[in-house]
Amino acid sequence: MTPSYNFAFLDEDTKRMLRRALLKAVAIPGYQVPFGSREMPLPYGWGTGGIQVTAALLGPDDVLKVIDQGADDTTNAVNIRRFFARVAGVATTERTVEASLIQTRHRIPETPLREDQILVFQVPEPEPLRTLEPREAETRTLHALGDYGLMHVKLYEDIAQYGHIATSYDYPVLVDGRFLTSPSPIPKFDNPKLDRSPALMLFGAGREKRLYAIPPYTRVESLAFDDHPFEIQQWEHRCELCGSGESYLDEVVVDDRGGRMFVCSDTDYCGRRRTEAQA
Amino acid sequence: MSALLQVRGLSRHYGRRIGCEDVSFELHPGELLCIVGESGSGKSTLLNTVAAQLAPSAGSVRYRQRDGEWLELGQLSEADRRRLAREEWGFVTQNPRDGLRLNVSAGANVAERLMALGVRHYGQLRSIARGWLERVEIDPARIDDAPTGFSGGMQQRLQIARTLVTQPRLVFMDEPTAGLDVSVQARILDLLRRLVNELGLAAVMVTHDLAVARLLAARTMVMQHGRVVETGLTDQILDDPQHPYTQLLVSSVLTT
Ligand SMILES: Nc1ncnc2c1ncn2[C@@H]1O[C@H](COP(=O)(O)OP(=O)(O)O)[C@@H](O)[C@H]1O
Ligand SMILES: [Mg+2]
C-alpha cells in the first residue's frame, strides 16, 4: 500500500458522504440519490462512479474482484484492481466465490452470489428515461409520480421496428414495484439475476453524480408487454471451451481467416469449469 | 344539465402586464366553446390558465370529474393535475411539433397515452393506433413512419389522434389550424367537427378566426386586451355583434 494516500484513496469525509448516500439508496430501492462525485485519477467512462462506491465500502479485510464484460484480465479491470491493491492494500482475486466485493462493468457473474457479497456496478447513464426525455426536472417528476408509460413507448418502438423487443442490454427494470431503474449496460441475460438476489447491488454513476441500490432479496421486474413477454438471449451453441449451455456467450474471432467461436464471457466461471472437468 | 367547467373571475398577469383579466364562463358536457380575438388579446393565456398549465393570479377554475366530484384546480397537487391531464383531458397545440413526440413513430405517438393509462398489450395498441390513423385520414400503412416526414396538416391530424385516443372528456385546443394552408385548414376543421360530434366532446378552442368559430362552435367568447368583451351564441354574434370590437372583427371576416 502506498503510504501517501488515505486508505482506499478517498478522504474519510468523502467516504462518509458516500456511505450516507448509499444508506439512503438502500432505504429507497431503485431511487437515484445525488452525491458529490469527486475527481478521480481516471476519466469518466472508466468507472469513476463504481470506484468511488468501492472506495467507500472497502475495509482492510475485503477481497476485491473486478470484471469488465465478464473478464478479469481486460485493461479496465486490471487497472482498477491494481489501483485498489495500491491505495488500500486489499487482497484481490479473480474467483467469484472468494470475493467479498465485486466491481463490474457490463456483466453479473454466472456463479450465484451470496448474502456476504456486494456487487458494485459502473453506470454510464443512470436515467432509463433519458433518451426519451432529455429534461432532468421532467424525469424527476415522472419518477416521483411513478409515471412510466414513456418507457413502454421505447419498447413499443422496438417491436414496431424489429418485430420483437430488440433492447438487449441496459434493459429497463422496475425495482420493488416502484422505481424504474437502469440495470447499467448488462445484457438482459443478466436481468433475472437481479431479481431477489441475496447479494447487495450498488450502482455508481460518476459523471451524472448519482448512485442507487437494489438491496438483497428485492423484487426486480423487467418491463414487457403481455403479448411480448420478457425473454433472455439464447444461443444454439455451447461454450466451446467449457461446454456450458447456461452461460452468456461471446463470439470471438480466433484466426485471420474469419474463424469464430463461442465462449463464456465470464472467464472465471469458464476457467473453473474447465479445471473441474480435468480433475 | 350540470356544467363540466366553471371559471370565475380568472386573471393571469405577467408581472405588471395583463395576460387575461376577470374572465368567467361555464362549459357544459358536449359543448364546444370558441375564444376569438386578435393576436395578443389573451386567448392562449386564458386557455393555459383554465387548463391548469399556468397558475392564476386571481379567480378560480372548477372541474367536475368523471365520478361527478367537483375539483378546485388551484388546490390540486401536481400528481392530481397530471392524472387529470392524462385521464380526462386533452390538449392540442398550435404547432404540432410541440404536441408530438417527434423521435418516435406515428403509431407510438398515438399509443403513448394508452400506455400511460396502463394498456400493456402490443397487438391491441397497434390495432387502436391503426383505427385512429384511419379516423384522422392518415394511411394506416404509415403507422411506423416518423412524424418528421409528415406534412404540417398530417402532423396536426396525428396530434389530434394522439390526443383523442383515450376519449378525453374535455379538450383544449390552441389555434389548431393556424399556420396551415387554407385547404388543409378546411379539412382539419371538418375532421374536428365530425370527431367532436361522434365523441360528444366538450372543448375550448382558441382561434383568431371568426370563420372557424362559425364552423365549429355553438358559443363564442370575444376577447380584447385580456378581457371578454362579448359572449353568446356564435350565430348571434356574427349576425348582430354588439361590441364595437366584435363589429370590427365580423366586418373583417365578411369582407374577406
Ligand atoms: N410568458 C409571457 N410573459 C410575459 N408576457 C406574456 C407572456 N405570454 C403572453 N404575454 C402577454 O400577455 C398578453 C396575452 O398574450 P397571449 O395570451 O399569448 O395572447 P393570444 O394568445 O391572444 O395571442 C400579451 O400582451 C402578451 O404579450
Ligand atoms: Mg395565442
Side-chain angles (χ1 to χ4, degrees):
Chain A
M1 170 178 171
T2 314
S4 50
Y5 292 108
N6 189 39
F7 179 80
F9 187 77
L10 293 176
D11 62 85
E12 293 304 312
D13 282 344
T14 299
K15 288 199 239 171
R16 202 168 301 132
M17 174 273 293
L18 279 158
R19 288 176 198 140
R20 241 181 250 135
L22 287 169
L23 284 172
K24 189 167 174 181
V26 169
I28 317 170
Y31 173 74
Q32 298 170 44
V33 181
F35 75 105
S37 186
R38 293 292 188 263
E39 290 295 323
M40 296 301 286
L42 75 173
Y44 293 127
W46 284 81
T48 54
I51 288 172
Q52 290 177 78
V53 172
T54 298
L57 295 174
L58 277 181
D61 300 331
D62 268 308
V63 181
L64 177 69
K65 172 182 161 82
V66 182
I67 49 172
D68 180 6
Q69 309 269 12
D72 298 82
D73 57 359
T74 53
T75 316
N76 189 245
V78 169
N79 280 338
I80 294 173
R81 197 164 55 234
R82 272 206 208 123
F83 172 74
F84 281 116
R86 249 183 76 195
V87 300
V90 292
T92 60
T93 182
E94 299 194 355
R95 301 276 317 269
T96 298
V97 290
E98 285 173 0
S100 60
L101 200 156
I102 303 171
Q103 181 169 330
T104 178
R105 174 174 175 267
H106 293 190
R107 278 307 313 276
I108 296 177
E110 306 292 358
T111 310
L113 299 175
R114 305 180 309 260
E115 280 181 356
D116 61 343
Q117 294 179 307
I118 297 177
L119 193 57
V120 175
F121 294 78
Q122 301 170 199
V123 181
E125 173 52 79
E127 180 46 68
L129 296 166
R130 185 62 68 227
T131 48
L132 294 151
E133 179 50 74
R135 293 167 300 175
E136 170 66 20
E138 179 63 14
T139 51
R140 248 187 257 180
T141 307
L142 294 176
H143 283 296
L145 301 177
D147 191 351
Y148 295 138
L150 195 52
M151 199 70 241
H152 274 87
V153 170
K154 179 154 185 288
L155 301 181
Y156 171 100
E157 282 293 271
D158 260 19
I159 306 174
Q161 269 185 33
Y162 307 105
H164 62 276
I165 299 179
T167 301
S168 57
Y169 63 93
D170 207 350
Y171 190 106
V173 295
L174 195 66
V175 173
D176 200 25
R178 176 58 183 89
F179 282 102
L180 179 70
T181 304
S182 156
S184 87
I186 58 172
K188 64 179 178 179
F189 179 88
D190 285 340
N191 274 25
K193 298 177 190 165
L194 296 166
D195 186 31
R196 297 175 177 88
S197 163
L200 170 62
M201 314 243 181
L202 301 172
F203 300 76
R207 182 164 35 96
E208 306 293 329
K209 303 179 172 46
R210 292 282 186 281
L211 42 87
Y212 51 100
I214 302 177
Y217 302 109
T218 303
R219 189 159 50 93
V220 177
E221 178 196 343
S222 301
L223 300 189
F225 286 102
D226 299 343
D227 50 343
H228 285 266
F230 174 75
E231 281 168 0
I232 61 171
Q233 289 101 333
Q234 282 172 352
W235 290 265
E236 290 163 12
H237 312 259
R238 292 179 157 266
C239 170
E240 285 173 47
L241 297 177
C242 76
S244 173
E246 279 139 41
S247 74
Y248 186 85
L249 300 182
D250 283 334
E251 191 178 9
V252 294
V253 179
V254 289
D255 54 40
D256 56 6
R257 282 165 284 118
R260 287 158 189 279
M261 69 176 190
F262 285 89
V263 298
C264 292
S265 111
D266 184 335
T267 49
D268 167 59
Y269 170 84
C270 191
R272 215 157 37 88
R273 278 177 53 88
R274 276 179 283 156
T275 316
E276 277 165 13
Q278 279 164 15
Chain B
M1 201 184 336
S2 178
L4 193 62
L5 198 64
Q6 278 183 348
V7 178
R8 290 279 172 270
L10 197 67
S11 302
R12 162 74 198 197
H13 301 161
Y14 300 99
R16 294 180 54 202
R17 187 192 293 249
I18 289 176
C20 65
E21 182 71 18
D22 194 23
V23 177
S24 302
F25 68 90
E26 286 193 351
L27 186 76
H28 285 81
E31 187 182 19
L32 196 152
L33 173 72
C34 262
I35 302 172
V36 301
E38 65 189 359
S39 176
S41 58
K43 306 180 299 291
S44 295
T45 301
L46 176 60
L47 191 77
N48 287 312
T49 312
V50 171
Q53 300 197 346
L54 283 176
S57 308
S60 71
V61 180
R62 297 208 312 147
Y63 169 74
R64 189 168 53 82
Q65 59 176 7
R66 225 181 275 270
D67 64 10
E69 193 192 333
W70 281 98
L71 297 177
E72 187 71 51
L73 297 188
Q75 287 163 12
L76 286 188
S77 67
E78 169 77 359
D80 285 337
R81 195 185 65 69
R82 285 188 180 232
R83 182 192 57 76
L84 213 56
R86 193 168 60 221
E87 294 179 5
E88 305 211 5
W89 294 357
F91 202 108
V92 178
T93 60
Q94 173 178 349
N95 186 343
R97 290 168 170 268
D98 296 332
L100 290 174
R101 207 173 279 288
L102 291 171
N103 54 355
V104 301
S105 66
N109 268 283
V110 179
E112 179 172 350
R113 275 169 66 97
L114 293 168
M115 291 189 261
L117 293 186
V119 179
R120 291 289 178 266
H121 193 282
Y122 177 79
Q124 193 184 346
L125 291 165
R126 293 289 280 185
S127 71
I128 296 174
R130 271 203 202 88
W132 268 97
L133 289 177
E134 224 156 31
R135 242 171 142 166
V136 298
E137 297 162 15
I138 295 173
D139 181 357
R142 304 204 60 175
I143 187 167
D144 295 329
D145 292 356
T148 41
F150 288 8
S151 68
M154 271 173 86
Q155 288 184 351
Q156 194 53 290
R157 281 179 276 130
L158 182 63
Q159 190 191 188
I160 290 166
R162 166 182 165 85
T163 307
L164 298 187
V165 65
T166 52
Q167 315 245 347
R169 298 175 74 218
L170 173 58
V171 180
F172 301 97
M173 295 182 263
D174 194 349
E175 312 232 24
T177 59
L180 298 171
D181 293 344
V182 175
S183 61
V184 178
Q185 269 191 36
R187 185 170 174 196
I188 290 185
L189 290 172
D190 218 42
L191 181 76
L192 276 175
R193 185 165 58 171
R194 190 159 49 73
L195 290 173
V196 162
N197 283 334
E198 282 173 17
L199 301 171
L201 288 178
V204 183
M205 177 162 165
V206 159
T207 173
H208 63 271
D209 186 352
L210 261 179
V212 170
R214 179 163 54 185
L215 193 66
L216 289 176
R219 225 153 45 93
T220 293
M221 258 174 16
V222 183
M223 287 186 79
Q224 185 191 25
H225 304 316
R227 293 176 175 274
V228 173
V229 295
E230 185 160 357
T231 178
L233 297 175
T234 310
D235 290 341
Q236 236 163 43
I237 286 180
L238 281 161
D239 293 345
D240 185 19
Q242 300 297 307
H243 194 275
Y245 176 69
T246 318
Q247 288 165 359
L248 198 72
L249 277 183
V250 170
S251 65
S252 69
V253 173
L254 295 181
T255 52
T256 50

